[in-house]
PDB file of all heavy atoms in Angstrom:
ATOM      1  N   MET E   6      16.702 -58.975 -17.301  1.00  0.00           N
ATOM      2  CA  MET E   6      18.143 -58.829 -17.046  1.00  0.00           C
ATOM      3  C   MET E   6      18.469 -57.400 -16.757  1.00  0.00           C
ATOM      4  O   MET E   6      19.702 -57.087 -16.682  1.00  0.00           O
ATOM      5  CB  MET E   6      18.875 -59.336 -18.305  1.00  0.00           C
ATOM      6  CG  MET E   6      18.797 -60.840 -18.493  1.00  0.00           C
ATOM      7  SD  MET E   6      19.668 -61.355 -19.894  1.00  0.00           S
ATOM      8  CE  MET E   6      21.410 -61.119 -19.353  1.00  0.00           C
ATOM      9  N   ASN E   7      17.504 -56.545 -16.606  1.00  0.00           N
ATOM     10  CA  ASN E   7      17.810 -55.121 -16.288  1.00  0.00           C
ATOM     11  C   ASN E   7      18.011 -54.989 -14.810  1.00  0.00           C
ATOM     12  O   ASN E   7      17.381 -55.621 -13.995  1.00  0.00           O
ATOM     13  CB  ASN E   7      16.685 -54.208 -16.764  1.00  0.00           C
ATOM     14  CG  ASN E   7      16.722 -54.076 -18.229  1.00  0.00           C
ATOM     15  OD1 ASN E   7      17.713 -53.749 -18.866  1.00  0.00           O
ATOM     16  ND2 ASN E   7      15.582 -54.311 -18.903  1.00  0.00           N
ATOM     17  N   SER E   8      18.914 -54.013 -14.462  1.00  0.00           N
ATOM     18  CA  SER E   8      19.127 -53.714 -13.036  1.00  0.00           C
ATOM     19  C   SER E   8      17.977 -52.933 -12.504  1.00  0.00           C
ATOM     20  O   SER E   8      17.217 -52.318 -13.278  1.00  0.00           O
ATOM     21  CB  SER E   8      20.440 -52.932 -12.897  1.00  0.00           C
ATOM     22  OG  SER E   8      20.248 -51.711 -13.488  1.00  0.00           O
ATOM     23  N   MET E   9      17.830 -52.885 -11.215  1.00  0.00           N
ATOM     24  CA  MET E   9      16.737 -52.133 -10.563  1.00  0.00           C
ATOM     25  C   MET E   9      16.825 -50.639 -10.959  1.00  0.00           C
ATOM     26  O   MET E   9      15.847 -49.964 -11.227  1.00  0.00           O
ATOM     27  CB  MET E   9      16.822 -52.224  -9.010  1.00  0.00           C
ATOM     28  CG  MET E   9      16.277 -53.489  -8.473  1.00  0.00           C
ATOM     29  SD  MET E   9      14.518 -53.691  -8.907  1.00  0.00           S
ATOM     30  CE  MET E   9      13.776 -52.460  -7.852  1.00  0.00           C
ATOM     31  N   THR E  10      18.063 -50.087 -11.029  1.00  0.00           N
ATOM     32  CA  THR E  10      18.254 -48.686 -11.354  1.00  0.00           C
ATOM     33  C   THR E  10      17.649 -48.381 -12.727  1.00  0.00           C
ATOM     34  O   THR E  10      16.972 -47.376 -12.876  1.00  0.00           O
ATOM     35  CB  THR E  10      19.772 -48.338 -11.357  1.00  0.00           C
ATOM     36  OG1 THR E  10      20.422 -49.005 -10.316  1.00  0.00           O
ATOM     37  CG2 THR E  10      19.990 -46.893 -11.377  1.00  0.00           C
ATOM     38  N   LEU E  11      17.935 -49.255 -13.643  1.00  0.00           N
ATOM     39  CA  LEU E  11      17.434 -48.949 -15.017  1.00  0.00           C
ATOM     40  C   LEU E  11      15.938 -49.167 -15.116  1.00  0.00           C
ATOM     41  O   LEU E  11      15.284 -48.535 -15.863  1.00  0.00           O
ATOM     42  CB  LEU E  11      18.190 -49.794 -16.071  1.00  0.00           C
ATOM     43  CG  LEU E  11      19.703 -49.528 -16.210  1.00  0.00           C
ATOM     44  CD1 LEU E  11      20.235 -50.092 -17.497  1.00  0.00           C
ATOM     45  CD2 LEU E  11      20.031 -48.050 -16.167  1.00  0.00           C
ATOM     46  N   ARG E  12      15.439 -50.101 -14.276  1.00  0.00           N
ATOM     47  CA  ARG E  12      13.996 -50.314 -14.288  1.00  0.00           C
ATOM     48  C   ARG E  12      13.281 -49.040 -13.709  1.00  0.00           C
ATOM     49  O   ARG E  12      12.261 -48.633 -14.210  1.00  0.00           O
ATOM     50  CB  ARG E  12      13.643 -51.535 -13.428  1.00  0.00           C
ATOM     51  CG  ARG E  12      12.217 -51.751 -13.120  1.00  0.00           C
ATOM     52  CD  ARG E  12      11.416 -52.026 -14.386  1.00  0.00           C
ATOM     53  NE  ARG E  12      10.051 -51.497 -14.259  1.00  0.00           N
ATOM     54  CZ  ARG E  12       9.001 -52.259 -14.414  1.00  0.00           C
ATOM     55  NH1 ARG E  12       9.121 -53.525 -14.710  1.00  0.00           N
ATOM     56  NH2 ARG E  12       7.843 -51.767 -14.311  1.00  0.00           N
ATOM     57  N   ILE E  13      13.930 -48.432 -12.718  1.00  0.00           N
ATOM     58  CA  ILE E  13      13.367 -47.201 -12.168  1.00  0.00           C
ATOM     59  C   ILE E  13      13.459 -46.074 -13.158  1.00  0.00           C
ATOM     60  O   ILE E  13      12.514 -45.306 -13.337  1.00  0.00           O
ATOM     61  CB  ILE E  13      14.080 -46.822 -10.835  1.00  0.00           C
ATOM     62  CG1 ILE E  13      13.802 -47.794  -9.753  1.00  0.00           C
ATOM     63  CG2 ILE E  13      13.733 -45.397 -10.402  1.00  0.00           C
ATOM     64  CD1 ILE E  13      14.668 -47.780  -8.526  1.00  0.00           C
ATOM     65  N   ASP E  14      14.557 -45.996 -13.968  1.00  0.00           N
ATOM     66  CA  ASP E  14      14.655 -45.037 -15.013  1.00  0.00           C
ATOM     67  C   ASP E  14      13.489 -45.165 -15.995  1.00  0.00           C
ATOM     68  O   ASP E  14      12.836 -44.188 -16.375  1.00  0.00           O
ATOM     69  CB  ASP E  14      15.957 -45.256 -15.846  1.00  0.00           C
ATOM     70  CG  ASP E  14      17.184 -44.853 -15.062  1.00  0.00           C
ATOM     71  OD1 ASP E  14      17.042 -44.297 -13.964  1.00  0.00           O
ATOM     72  OD2 ASP E  14      18.307 -45.067 -15.539  1.00  0.00           O
ATOM     73  N   TYR E  15      13.190 -46.402 -16.409  1.00  0.00           N
ATOM     74  CA  TYR E  15      12.117 -46.713 -17.337  1.00  0.00           C
ATOM     75  C   TYR E  15      10.786 -46.240 -16.758  1.00  0.00           C
ATOM     76  O   TYR E  15       9.992 -45.518 -17.441  1.00  0.00           O
ATOM     77  CB  TYR E  15      12.116 -48.204 -17.592  1.00  0.00           C
ATOM     78  CG  TYR E  15      10.891 -48.691 -18.411  1.00  0.00           C
ATOM     79  CD1 TYR E  15      10.928 -48.572 -19.810  1.00  0.00           C
ATOM     80  CD2 TYR E  15       9.751 -49.161 -17.812  1.00  0.00           C
ATOM     81  CE1 TYR E  15       9.827 -48.976 -20.558  1.00  0.00           C
ATOM     82  CE2 TYR E  15       8.636 -49.586 -18.567  1.00  0.00           C
ATOM     83  CZ  TYR E  15       8.732 -49.490 -19.962  1.00  0.00           C
ATOM     84  OH  TYR E  15       7.668 -49.897 -20.705  1.00  0.00           O
ATOM     85  N   ASP E  16      10.528 -46.536 -15.505  1.00  0.00           N
ATOM     86  CA  ASP E  16       9.241 -46.129 -14.853  1.00  0.00           C
ATOM     87  C   ASP E  16       9.155 -44.623 -14.797  1.00  0.00           C
ATOM     88  O   ASP E  16       8.085 -44.065 -14.992  1.00  0.00           O
ATOM     89  CB  ASP E  16       9.143 -46.750 -13.460  1.00  0.00           C
ATOM     90  CG  ASP E  16       8.817 -48.204 -13.520  1.00  0.00           C
ATOM     91  OD1 ASP E  16       8.410 -48.680 -14.581  1.00  0.00           O
ATOM     92  OD2 ASP E  16       8.978 -48.899 -12.455  1.00  0.00           O
ATOM     93  N   MET E  17      10.262 -43.897 -14.454  1.00  0.00           N
ATOM     94  CA  MET E  17      10.196 -42.504 -14.415  1.00  0.00           C
ATOM     95  C   MET E  17       9.948 -41.855 -15.753  1.00  0.00           C
ATOM     96  O   MET E  17       9.174 -40.839 -15.865  1.00  0.00           O
ATOM     97  CB  MET E  17      11.510 -41.971 -13.816  1.00  0.00           C
ATOM     98  CG  MET E  17      11.642 -42.149 -12.296  1.00  0.00           C
ATOM     99  SD  MET E  17      12.886 -41.105 -11.671  1.00  0.00           S
ATOM    100  CE  MET E  17      12.698 -41.297  -9.929  1.00  0.00           C
TER     101      MET E  17
END
Side-chain angles (χ1 to χ4, degrees):
M6 290 180 71
N7 286 309
S8 65
M9 279 302 288
T10 319
L11 297 196
R12 171 63 212 237
I13 291 168
D14 289 354
Y15 173 83
D16 285 345
M17 283 198 172

